[in-house]
């Protein structure tokens, strides 16, 4: 039970940071992250975003590489994925969040170089 209380302030701080990022009021702060830890930290909050008739499964890859990213943005991406999945499954379904290492070849890099998602 004490662990729960020690994680609440950091969870609140993370949510505040995500809200500030969403409103563009805070600058991006990329750091080296363990994506598995980010997913684990957000697991309970993500589950609250889905309906009871949607089963969410988290599959964490073993020995995945680290990423350099802003943890708030990564959290925002995960929340958006979950909310969009919920909208696409009004009658329920299965949502799986999985992490793993992948290798992108030269062809992929050339095909996607300079693409802007905006």
């Amino acid at each position: 039970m004490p662990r729960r209380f020690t994680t609440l302030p950091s969870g609140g701080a993370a949510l505040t940071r995500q809200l500030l990022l969403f409103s563009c009021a805070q600058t991006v702060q990329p750091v080296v992250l363990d994506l598995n830890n980010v997913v684990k930290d957000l697991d309970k909050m993500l589950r609250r975003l889905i309906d009871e008739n949607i089963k969410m499964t988290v599959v964490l890859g073993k020995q995945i590489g680290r990423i350099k990213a802003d943890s708030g943005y990564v959290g925002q991406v995960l929340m958006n994925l979950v909310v969009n999945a919920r909208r696409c499954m009004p009658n329920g379904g299965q949502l799986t969040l999985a992490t793993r290492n992948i290798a992108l070849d030269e062809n992929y890099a050339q095909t996607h170089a300079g693409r802007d998602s905006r």
Side-chain angles (χ1 to χ4, degrees):
M1 190 66 113
R3 177 156 168 76
R4 180 173 180 216
F5 291 116
T6 59
T7 59
L8 285 176
S10 64
L15 179 58
T16 301
R17 180 166 160 67
Q18 289 168 355
L19 291 171
L20 287 170
L21 282 169
F22 185 70
S23 68
C24 300
Q26 190 168 2
T27 58
V28 176
Q29 297 176 343
V31 295
V32 177
L33 298 170
D34 179 331
L35 190 55
N36 282 348
N37 287 341
V38 174
V39 173
K40 282 190 277 190
D41 290 345
L42 293 174
D43 184 87
K44 286 183 182 179
M45 182 176 62
L46 295 173
R47 289 179 190 280
R48 282 181 276 198
L49 296 173
I50 59 174
D51 298 330
E52 292 178 3
N53 60 350
I54 298 174
K55 180 182 177 195
M56 186 173 104
T57 304
V58 175
V59 180
L60 302 175
K62 296 184 189 278
Q63 299 178 343
I64 66 167
R66 301 198 184 276
I67 62 169
K68 187 171 185 179
D70 185 291
S71 62
Y73 275 127
V74 173
Q76 188 65 47
V77 167
L78 290 171
M79 286 191 294
N80 288 344
L81 286 170
V82 170
V83 169
N84 289 339
R86 180 189 70 202
R87 289 179 187 155
C88 292
M89 295 186 277
N91 299 320
Q94 171 72 38
L95 171 62
T96 302
L97 297 178
T99 62
R100 68 182 175 122
N101 290 322
I102 62 167
L104 304 177
D105 62 15
E106 184 67 29
N107 183 45
Y108 182 92
Q110 288 178 354
T111 305
H112 295 83
R115 292 183 80 174
D116 189 355
S117 62
R118 287 179 258 162

